[in-house]
Amino acid sequence: MTKISYPSTLTHGLSRTEILTRMHDRLDQSRFDHCVRVEAAARDLAVRFGLDVDRAGLAGLLHDYAKQVPVADYLRVIQREDYSDKLLRYNRGIWHGVVGTYFIRRELGIDDAQVLQAIERHTTGNPHMTPLDMTTFVADYIEPLRHLPMQVQARRLAQHSLTAATIAELQAP
């Protein structure tokens, strides 16, 4: 197996091992394993489409970093950090992307704008998604243990087009 290493400029000096340790401390095993699979899927997509493999991999790895943050903590951050009050209508399913980057910046020091934007957009999509955003969005959806028919279809589409895979995911029931 190839050892993955990220440039310290992307990780605020943390090694991948240090990031994995912090993730393991905050996520249950199932969610942690999912994040590692999404990292691999994102890196594969980045290679296929000529994108920044390190940014794609890091966004994939960290996309659910804040998935299991307690609701009360999210509510405090949304209110204290001047996020839109409209976010209060939603739940952790949306918050872990949009607000989750707050925890990544605060706890890991990672502040790469492209990585954070890809993580922010992975829960909701965005009309102006970049290829990196689409990579995280699609990798989360098509990681190998996802087997619903629409995920299988998106996986096939992702062989040739990030845009087509993204659209398929957005149109899924």
Side-chain angles (χ1 to χ4, degrees):
M1 185 167 130
T2 304
K3 183 174 174 164
I4 299 170
S5 178
Y6 291 106
S8 63
T9 54
L10 282 182
T11 64
H12 195 66
L14 297 173
S15 70
R16 181 174 180 269
T17 300
E18 291 169 311
I19 292 169
L20 290 172
T21 298
R22 292 186 189 193
M23 289 177 68
H24 207 270
D25 289 345
R26 77 166 17 259
L27 299 172
D28 65 31
Q29 191 64 46
S30 174
R31 182 62 48 191
F32 176 84
D33 292 344
H34 164 72
C35 289
V36 172
R37 289 190 304 271
V38 172
E39 173 190 34
R43 290 177 70 86
D44 289 346
L45 289 169
V47 168
R48 184 174 305 136
F49 295 107
L51 304 173
D52 185 323
V53 175
D54 289 326
R55 279 191 169 95
L58 188 60
L61 179 63
L62 293 174
H63 81 285
D64 278 355
Y65 178 82
K67 180 81 173 197
Q68 296 172 329
V69 166
V71 169
D73 291 352
Y74 272 119
L75 294 173
R76 275 192 292 278
V77 169
I78 290 168
Q79 293 166 341
R80 188 181 65 221
E81 299 298 322
D82 296 323
Y83 284 92
S84 170
D85 286 343
K86 292 178 184 177
L87 279 173
L88 297 173
R89 298 181 202 156
Y90 301 99
N91 59 34
R92 193 180 319 184
I94 299 298
W95 297 336
H96 81 275
V98 177
V99 185
T101 57
Y102 167 86
F103 296 97
I104 292 168
R105 284 190 309 269
R106 182 169 174 233
E107 296 173 12
L108 302 178
I110 294 172
D111 61 1
D112 184 84
Q114 293 174 61
V115 169
L116 295 175
Q117 177 178 284
I119 293 167
E120 286 173 0
R121 291 178 172 179
H122 94 273
T123 57
T124 60
N126 185 285
H128 306 289
M129 287 173 70
T130 67
L132 180 62
D133 299 342
M134 288 188 274
T135 299
T136 307
F137 189 71
V138 170
D140 183 30
Y141 194 64
I142 68 168
E143 66 101 328
L145 292 189
R146 306 244 177 164
H147 299 292
L148 294 174
M150 55 250 181
Q151 293 162 327
V152 171
Q153 174 65 13
R155 191 175 293 116
R156 270 185 250 147
L157 292 168
Q159 294 297 314
H160 306 287
S161 172
L162 270 176
T163 302
T166 298
I167 290 168
E169 181 177 345
L170 289 168
Q171 292 176 339

